Amino acid sequence: MHKNLIGGQWVDGRAERINLNPSDTNDQIGVYAQASAEDTLVAIDAAEAAQPIWASLSLQQRADALEFIGTEILSRQTELGTLLAREEGKILPEAVGEVVRAGQIFKFFAGEILRPQGEHLDSVRSGIEVDIVRQPVGVIGIIAPWNFPIAIPAWKIAPALAYGNAVVFKPADLVPGSAWALAEIISRAGLPDGTFNLLMGRGSVVGQSMVESPKVKAISFTGSADTGRRILTTAAPRLAKLQMEMGGSNPLVILNDADLDLAVDVAVQGAYFSTGQRCTASSRFIIEKGIYSRFTAAVQEKLQSLVVGHALDPQSTIGPVADKAQFELNLRDIKATRAEGARLAFGGEALTRETPGYFMSPALFVDAEPGMRIAQEEFFGPIACAIPAVDYEHALQLANDSSYGLSAGICTNSLKYATDFKRKVQSGMVMVNTPTAGVDYHVPFGGTKGSSYGSREQGRYAAEFYTTVKTAYTRY
Ligand code: NAP
C-alpha cells in the first residue's frame, strides 16, 4: 500500500484505491491510500507549523532541496515515464518527456530561489527609503488533474516551495502513482517535516476540505471549468487567493497561403497527440475555403498512418483514453455530434487490441457549424472538427467565438495575418505555425475568458501567485 505523506510521516488511508492501466486493465499498478477529511486537516495544521521553519532556511538550503528533487527526477526519467505511461496512457516517449519537464521545472525554480525579486527605492519624501520585497503566502493547496500526472504537480509544487510556502497536494484520484513517486522524492530532499504533504483521495472529500479551510491561504487548481467554479464559490467568500487553469476549445486557423504539410503536422500533433487529452489541444480547425478540401483530405491521410495501441508499445503513436468514464463520454460526444449534423469523416470508433483497454481511433468531423456543441464545448479526447471560413477576418471571428481562451494557433506564410492574429485572438497563448499544445516551462502559461482565473503559472510570473508583496518605509 502506498501511503499519504502527512507531517513528515507516511500514513495509512481510511480507504484504498487500486490504480489500473488504461492500456491493459488486467495490469494493476498498485494500491494507494485514500485520505479522509480529518487527515486533510491534520496535514494542513502540519503545513501551517512547518511553513515559517522552511521559509527561514537559507536560500542555499532551499535551492539545494529543489535541485536534489529535479536531479533525481531527471535521473529516473525512464522508470518514472514508464509508470506515468502505465497509469495515464500517454505513449512512453510523451510520458518520458513529461517527466523530463517536471525535473527541469524543479531545477528552474531552484535557480529562481537564488534570484530573489525585490526593489530598493528612494521615497518621494526626503530622508525616507523604501524596500519592496516578496514574501511567502503561507499554506498553499494544490489540486491537480489527471492528464499531466507529474508535470502539472511539478509546475505548482516547485514555485510554491521555492518562494517559501508549505504545500498540501491533492493529485487526481485517477493517477496517484506518479504523484506518490514525486512525493517520495520530495520526502528525501531535506524539507522540514510538514512542509510538503501528499493527500491522495477524492476531490469531494480531500479537495473540498482544502478549499474550505481558512488555514489554506491560496489554492492553485487545474481541472475542469465546473470544478473550478465550485472551488471559486467556496473559497472566494473567505478571501483565499485563487489561481485556476480550466478547459479550452482551442482554434487552429489555416489560411490559403499556409504550407500544407506543415499545417497538417501542426494540426494532427496539436489535436490528437497525447490522445487529445490536453487542455491546449486544438479542437477546432478553422480553414479558409481555398485550402479546405486539400487540408481536410491531407489530415485524414495522416490520421490513417497513426497507430493506436498500448502506451508502452514502441509502434504506438496514440495511447488509450485514460479511463472508462472518459472513453464512454468521448463515444457519446461523437454520437451526439453526428446527430447534430456534422459529418464524421474519419475515426471516432472504439478499437479492440490484444489487451483490454480504452482504445479509440482519432476522430475528425468536417463541415461543422460554429454553433454546434463540438465547436463550443471542450471534448477532452482525440476529437476535432473542421469549420470552413470565407476569409481571414471570418476565421478570426470564428476563432474568438468561444467562452474559452486558452491557446490559439494560425498556419500562414503571411506576416500581416500572423501579426494581426497574435494581436486580436482572445487567448492567453498564441502559436504561429506551431501546435496549440506544447509549451515551454520558463514562460507564463494560462488563458483568458473561461479558461483561467487569477495570475499566470510557470516561469518568473509564478511569483505573482506564490508570493505577497510587502512595501517597507524606513526613515534615516
Ligand atoms: P476535474 O474533474 O475538474 O478534477 C480536477 C481536480 O479537482 C481533481 O484532483 C479532482 O479530484 C478535484 N476535485 C473534484 N471535485 C472537487 C471539489 N469539490 N473540491 C476540490 N477539488 C475537487 O478535472 P479532470 O477531469 O481531472 O481534468 C480534466 C480537465 O482539466 C479538463 O477540463 C482540462 O481541460 C483541464 N485541464 C486544464 C489545464 C489548464 O492548464 N488549463 C491543464 C490540464 C487540464 P478527483 O480526481 O478525486 O475527482
Side-chain angles (χ1 to χ4, degrees), residues 144 146-147 170 173 203 208 222-224 227 245-247 279 378 445:
W146 49 260
N147 63 331
K170 191 208 106 55
D173 202 30
Q208 189 69 23
T222 299
S224 61
T227 310
E245 292 300 340
M246 298 169 284
C279 51
E378 179 183 55
F445 177 96

Side-chain angles (χ1 to χ4, degrees), residues 16-71:
E16 56 188 44
R17 179 181 212 287
I18 296 171
N19 191 3
L20 294 180
N21 181 345
S23 297
D24 177 1
T25 52
N26 291 327
D27 177 21
Q28 183 176 310
I29 295 158
V31 180
Y32 293 84
Q34 295 253 295
S36 64
E38 294 75 40
D39 293 333
T40 310
L41 298 182
V42 173
I44 293 169
D45 282 346
E48 195 185 44
Q51 187 271 322
I53 305 170
W54 168 241
S56 68
L57 296 189
S58 71
L59 295 188
Q60 191 63 58
Q61 284 172 301
R62 298 215 313 263
D64 288 348
L66 267 69
E67 186 67 30
F68 168 91
I69 297 164
T71 301

Side-chain angles (χ1 to χ4, degrees), residues 19-328:
N19 191 3
L20 294 180
N21 181 345
S23 297
D24 177 1
T25 52
N26 291 327
D27 177 21
Q28 183 176 310
I29 295 158
V31 180
Y32 293 84
Q34 295 253 295
S36 64
E38 294 75 40
D39 293 333
T40 310
L41 298 182
V42 173
I44 293 169
D45 282 346
E48 195 185 44
Q51 187 271 322
I53 305 170
W54 168 241
S56 68
L57 296 189
S58 71
L59 295 188
Q60 191 63 58
Q61 284 172 301
R62 298 215 313 263
D64 288 348
L66 267 69
E67 186 67 30
F68 168 91
I69 297 164
T71 301
E72 178 153 341
I73 292 171
L74 291 178
S75 71
R76 291 170 53 193
Q77 55 186 263
T78 307
E79 172 211 338
L80 294 172
T82 304
L83 170 67
L84 198 161
R86 275 175 74 206
E87 77 170 349
E88 197 268 349
K90 61 185 59 149
I91 57 169
L92 185 60
E94 290 175 335
V96 171
E98 184 182 333
V99 170
V100 168
R101 183 190 177 98
Q104 287 164 334
I105 288 168
F106 273 96
K107 284 178 169 276
F108 176 87
F109 282 104
E112 284 302 284
I113 295 172
L114 302 175
R115 286 185 286 274
Q117 300 174 35
E119 290 177 73
H120 178 79
L121 312 168
D122 280 345
S123 164
V124 292
R125 294 165 281 169
S126 57
I128 293 182
E129 61 179 18
V130 182
D131 293 295
I132 304 166
V133 292
R134 288 195 174 268
Q135 296 194 313
V137 175
V139 176
I140 312 277
I142 290 176
I143 302 175
W146 49 260
N147 63 331
F148 284 92
I150 197 163
I152 290 181
W155 83 49
K156 296 175 186 294
I157 295 166
L161 294 176
Y163 296 113
N165 302 287
V167 168
V168 281
F169 164 47
K170 191 208 106 55
D173 202 30
L174 190 64
V175 289
S178 302
W180 189 90
L182 175 61
E184 196 279 326
I185 294 171
I186 297 174
S187 76
R188 289 184 283 103
L191 276 55
D193 286 351
T195 305
F196 171 82
N197 302 271
L198 170 72
L199 292 158
M200 299 174 290
R202 298 292 312 161
S204 53
V205 178
V206 175
Q208 189 69 23
S209 305
M210 282 164 55
V211 172
E212 285 172 359
S213 170
K215 295 180 178 178
V216 177
K217 299 298 180 202
I219 293 157
S220 181
F221 163 82
T222 299
S224 61
D226 284 350
T227 310
R229 287 212 172 78
R230 215 170 304 135
I231 290 175
L232 181 68
T233 311
T234 309
R238 67 172 181 82
L239 307 183
K241 199 170 181 184
L242 283 178
Q243 173 186 64
M244 303 200 295
E245 292 300 340
M246 298 169 284
S249 170
N250 306 296
L252 175 69
V253 168
I254 295 101
L255 295 186
N256 287 342
D257 71 354
D259 174 327
L260 183 64
D261 290 344
L262 177 67
V264 169
D265 266 356
V266 164
V268 170
Q269 274 195 43
Y272 301 106
F273 282 21
S274 298
T275 321
Q277 298 173 150
R278 296 187 284 190
C279 51
T280 48
S282 314
S283 55
R284 296 181 287 144
F285 302 143
I286 299 168
I287 311 152
E288 211 177 353
K289 59 183 179 193
I291 197 172
Y292 185 87
S293 305
R294 279 183 295 139
F295 176 80
T296 50
V299 168
Q300 289 173 64
E301 202 181 311
K302 184 90 178 174
L303 292 179
Q304 290 281 8
S305 70
L306 299 183
V307 181
V308 179
H310 195 297
L312 296 180
D313 182 341
Q315 303 301 318
S316 302
T317 47
I318 298 187
V321 175
D323 78 337
K324 187 164 188 270
Q326 187 66 51
F327 178 70
E328 288 173 350

